[in-house]
Amino acid sequence: MDMSVFDLFKIGIGPSSSHTVGPMVAARRFLVECGSLDNAVGIEAALYGSLALTGVGHATDKAVILGLMGETPQDVDPEAVEDQLAEVELDGKLRLLGTHEVPFNRATDLVFHKRTSLPEHPNGMRFTLKLADGSVIEKVFYSVGGGFIHAAGEAEGSPDAPPSTPVPFPFDTMVQLLAHGQESGLSIPQMLRANERVRISDEELNAGIDKIWHVMSDCIAHGLVTGGQLPGGLNVKRRAATLWKQSEDKGGDRTNDLPHDALHCVSLYAMAVNEENAAGGRVVTAPTNGAAGIIPAVLRYYAEDCRPSDPVKGIRDFMLTSAAIGMLCKKNASISGAEVGCQGEVGVACAMAAAGLVAALGGTNEQVENAAEIGIEHHLGMTCDPIGGLVQIPCIERNGMGAIKAITAASLALKGDGTHFVSLDSVIETMRQTGADMQDKYKETSLGGLAIHVVTVNHPAC
């Protein structure tokens, strides 16, 4: 499997990895591959399927414009985005890759094909560069979840990426990974580390993981102190900061605590991240933006409440193990809500967090598999039905619930000996089949479920 931990965990901005991060990357890549832009006189972007249906709520239109301007998800300044877009709107011009200026009208040069999908994935987009001689350069891209993209007819990833480098522990299934562990005597994070070291040094790997955790941690911290209202038209109030303050105001007085209050903070960590995501802030795909709060919440729970003797090593083992589960889900099913529903986002993130927590707490490889299997199994069939096409309701609360489920799954697995009835490979295949059977209206189109049974007023996506 030619995938890295840094493919699963990408630094970007909200509110969506498939509808914001992916389209931004695709728009920029299209222009880079066009070569010289000196003869360009216009640009058009057409969005199809789920990208068209929920694109405005997911900021796909903004992401495409930013990508055409040359911005990248990891480097764009979230605080400057609205000013950049306002300048384009005011001037009626777009500076392609920041260098060549062409006329641009968002109303006519961004086209939403809400009733049409392109053949390879529900998240399709077509870019057309118009040249002075009347000819055009045109290319189709797909955003397939978690910020991953590919051009029509190509495998995912960059077309000029170097050939895959053999790794010491290749795996396409959990059965294969467990077999490697039994033969080598190594844990899952040890094997993932060995695979990563084919590409980069231990120092680079550790620094990269530490940076990812730093961004996650900062996202939680910012979300826990930021109040106000989320953008988009639903007038949803941010709750994490208020609830966190209520918890903090109690100080050390726990006389009136209920048993479930012990996990209250975990829910707030997850909600804080997803409120930041909904506001277009800096987040890490884990493995998607819509499910970005679960892994950071469980990681902070591990670091602060599980009393680890070596939290730095534990966090790194957690991330490597989580990545292994995410790789399996992406390869053998999907992490795209537009393809398999929210089971592929919140369900996969829950499984990744549960597995990571077990590994960080010293569980066996078999216990890791058990925890991941429980995490996905109890999200099977979960639809993706965001109200108003926004990553707010039910997405934010689902992250809080997913984090709690991950801790429960880890606890169950750690209290067992690793034997269980349903294998992780089987439940991943079940998720794939369930997603294929699911009607499109329940897969990030806002045409079914909660999205049509809750009245919204004056919202552009409705």
Side-chain angles (χ1 to χ4, degrees), residues 282-296:
R282 176 76 65 215
V283 296
V284 176
T285 62
T288 68
N289 282 28
I294 294 171
I295 288 172

Side-chain angles (χ1 to χ4, degrees), residues 148-211:
F148 290 87
I149 67 164
H150 66 82
E154 91 176 5
E156 290 176 29
S158 172
D160 55 357
S164 300
T165 304
V167 295
F169 302 104
F171 66 98
D172 290 321
T173 66
M174 193 65 185
V175 166
Q176 292 173 351
L177 189 56
L178 290 174
H180 284 312
Q182 290 166 357
E183 293 169 7
S184 67
L186 298 177
S187 68
I188 289 174
Q190 287 171 329
M191 290 186 286
L192 264 290
R193 178 173 288 276
N195 286 354
E196 293 288 340
R197 286 185 60 189
V198 170
R199 306 178 181 93
I200 57 177
S201 68
D202 248 339
E203 292 75 19
E204 291 171 315
L205 176 60
N206 290 336
I209 292 175
D210 294 347
K211 182 179 180 180

Side-chain angles (χ1 to χ4, degrees), residues 46 57 97 125 169 209 276 294-295 379 390 416 420:
L97 296 183
M125 60 201 111
F169 302 104
I209 292 175
E276 286 291 290
I294 294 171
I295 288 172
H379 285 91
L390 296 164
H420 50 286

